[in-house]
Amino acid sequence: MRTSFLRSFVPLVLIMGWELFSRSGWIPPSLLPAPSQVLRTLADWIFAIDGSTLSYSGAWLGSAAASLARVACGYALAVVAGIGLGVAIGWWRWVEQAIEPTLQLLRPIPPVSWIPLAIIWFGIANKPAIFLVFLGAFFPILLNTIHGVKATDRQLIRAAAMMGATQRQMLRFIVLPASLPSIFAGLRIAIGSAWMLTVTAEMVAVKSGLGYSLWDSYYFLRYDLVIAAMISIGVLGYLSDLAMKLLMNRVLHWQHRGAMKR
């Protein structure tokens, strides 16, 4: 009860302060819509209750589905490439020497700087957005996977080698299970990056999705719809991270049992 109160106290105070400030008249309501106005706009965007959002009335589900599909595609590609390459770099020294310098050269380049090339290569469609999501999610997964593989207890690996285990068996039964906590940390960081890059890509590279709705509303001075889009992105990003956290707790249940015993 006390924990629930503490978690909701700060958001409630901020919302109440925002409502009072918006209604004070210091700033025109069109520039800073009150939370109550934003909620009405969001309700019409989702359920088409009064048509106040015009062409966006009742169109929220389609926009959210378009953004979710881009996040899912780009994130899935990043998971496969990041974990596969991360395990190879962390386990085989020659792979690390051959590939890591190139990756470290590419890593500091901000994903948004790839937007012009992505549009030239893939055009105005889903592909440039998926490519940018992949770039945003790939490096957190890769680096955490490499760290997890390299941090595996060497005593366990030596013991398995002495018992005649092959490299494939050591990877499957020792290295990968030991790396999972670090890999899941990278997956949770990457899902946040994926949402950020999706919204950025939708502003310039596609004509659908929550990011496009946000940017289009800005041109028509519908700041209530802009804030409603921001809230939608935040909620979907939070739910994505929550799903990843639940999956992590389920997969790493042995880790939690060990912690409770201590």
Side-chain angles (χ1 to χ4, degrees):
M1 183 69 181
R2 184 182 177 186
T3 303
S4 301
F5 173 76
L6 289 174
R7 285 179 175 174
S8 59
F9 179 74
V10 173
L12 286 175
V13 169
L14 290 175
I15 291 172
M16 290 174 62
W18 175 11
E19 181 80 28
L20 292 173
F21 185 75
S22 297
R23 292 179 179 276
S24 67
W26 288 3
I27 296 179
S30 60
L31 297 181
L32 183 61
S36 54
Q37 174 61 38
V38 174
L39 284 178
R40 278 198 298 273
T41 300
L42 185 58
D44 183 63
W45 192 12
I46 298 174
F47 302 111
I49 56 174
D50 57 8
S52 61
T53 56
L54 303 176
S55 62
Y56 282 102
S57 184
W60 183 90
L61 189 59
S63 299
S67 296
L68 275 170
R70 291 177 189 120
V71 168
C73 290
Y75 187 73
L77 291 172
V79 168
V80 173
I83 294 178
L85 198 56
V87 169
I89 291 174
W91 182 248
W92 287 291
R93 181 71 175 166
W94 67 269
V95 178
E96 180 182 13
Q97 292 173 338
I99 298 179
E100 195 180 31
T102 305
L103 293 173
Q104 293 298 343
L105 185 69
L106 295 173
R107 189 169 66 89
I109 301 174
V112 292
S113 65
W114 289 87
I115 288 177
L117 291 177
I119 293 175
I120 292 171
W121 292 339
F122 302 112
I124 303 294
N126 284 327
K127 289 180 181 177
I130 292 172
F131 174 69
L132 292 172
V133 171
F134 167 79
L135 284 179
F138 172 71
F139 285 106
I141 298 172
L142 175 75
L143 294 178
N144 278 277
T145 302
I146 294 173
H147 171 75
V149 173
K150 286 184 174 292
T152 303
D153 190 342
R154 296 293 150 184
Q155 298 294 340
L156 292 176
I157 296 174
R158 290 193 190 99
M162 290 175 63
M163 296 176 68
T166 63
Q167 289 212 0
R168 183 176 177 181
Q169 289 173 326
M170 284 190 280
L171 277 173
R172 181 178 176 185
F173 296 109
I174 297 176
V175 176
L176 277 178
S179 306
L180 281 177
S182 182
I183 291 174
F184 269 105
L187 293 175
R188 290 190 64 191
I189 296 171
I191 195 66
S193 301
W195 272 105
M196 285 190 283
L197 266 299
T198 299
V199 173
T200 304
E202 287 176 346
M203 287 182 178
V204 295
V206 294
K207 300 292 183 185
S208 62
L210 294 172
Y212 174 75
S213 302
L214 188 155
W215 199 239
D216 191 50
S217 303
Y218 161 73
Y219 279 118
F220 290 100
L221 306 180
R222 286 296 306 265
Y223 299 121
D224 53 343
L225 200 49
V226 169
I227 297 173
M230 293 168 64
I231 292 172
S232 302
I233 294 163
V235 170
L236 290 176
Y238 172 77
L239 292 177
S240 302
D241 180 68
L242 183 63
M244 189 57 63
K245 188 176 179 181
L246 292 174
L247 176 64
M248 181 181 71
N249 290 338
R250 187 176 182 82
V251 173
L252 301 180
H253 58 90
W254 49 270
Q255 190 180 41
H256 296 291
R257 282 208 300 266
M260 289 174 67
K261 287 178 181 177
R262 284 195 295 272

